[in-house]
Amino acid sequence: MVQEGQPQGGEKRVCWPLRLWSVAVISILLLSTCFIVSCVVIYQFTGDKSDKRLSELYTYHSGLTCFSEGTRVTEKIWGCCPSTWKSFGSSCYFISIEQNFWTRSEQNCVEMGGHLVVINTEAEQNFIVQQLNESFSYFVGLSDPQGDGSWQWIDHTPFKKNVRFWHPNEPNFSEERCASIVFWNPGRWGWNDVFCDTNRNSICEMKKIYL
Ligand SMILES: *[C@@H]1O[C@H](CO)[C@@H](O)[C@H](O)[C@H]1NC(C)=O
Ligand SMILES: *[C@@H]1O[C@H](CO)[C@@H](O)[C@H](O)[C@H]1NC(C)=O
């Protein structure tokens, strides 16, 4: 009995980690399959005119990339962005490297179904700057149309005190009535007031499309 028991015990010690590994490997395989097959889908527009927003987007975008959102199977929905846009939270972002004046940049975003970006949180600011090239500055959807320091977001989101990422000593000139994001040494992204009629890159944002 003792002789039989010892090998069994030994076996168990070997088998238990093996079983754990099997479970881990199977889980990883399942997750990978889920990721490749069912958790990301490319939605190709069919020209279906039943959804107004979809048919509008169809004019400018050839497809959507969708990620499954929601933690339970019953609440699974697809959060979609145009395939060339980046997904973050409930929005999609497009970094435009076409340099234009501020109003023209906004117009371009609108034509694509969005607006110049409105930054609501520090997390959003951090996500956006990760997408940018330090050699350029980028218009955002923030302006001071009267030149009296009453900065306003393009979608009328209140301009909150705790969500401002100006560089030190900016804004510094009332004639500079548009805001840009720029990387200045020492090693920091932040906002700067600039002339609206200067050519810059820009950042567009649109709400995700949920299918
Ligand atoms: C940033 O832009 C410069 C100038 O166009 C380019 O040489 C560089 O490769 C870009 N950097 C990145 C990370 O894309
Ligand atoms: C405002 O700041 C910019 C960038 O630091 C600087 O080039 C410019 O001379 C400043 N303008 C005024 C009026 O202080």
Side-chain angles (χ1 to χ4, degrees), residues 168-174 176 184 192-193:
N169 308 316
E170 301 294 344
N172 69 347
F173 187 30
S174 62
E176 296 180 324
W184 280 347
N192 179 33
D193 57 338

Side-chain angles (χ1 to χ4, degrees), residues 184-202:
W184 280 347
N185 280 319
R188 199 168 163 270
W189 284 98
W191 302 349
N192 179 33
D193 57 338
V194 293
F195 290 107
C196 300
D197 52 356
T198 46
N199 285 315
R200 292 169 200 281
N201 294 2
S202 56

Side-chain angles (χ1 to χ4, degrees), residues 63-66 79-83 85-87 91-93 208-209:
L64 300 176
T65 301
C66 307
C80 306
C81 288
S83 299
W85 293 48
K86 308 258 195 250
S87 153
S91 291
C92 315
Y93 301 85
K208 269 187 191 164
I209 302 114

Side-chain angles (χ1 to χ4, degrees), residues 7-25:
Q8 260 175 13
E11 218 178 349
K12 262 184 200 157
R13 261 176 247 131
V14 177
C15 274
W16 185 234
L18 267 181
R19 241 177 253 161
L20 269 183
W21 274 111
S22 310
V23 169
V25 167

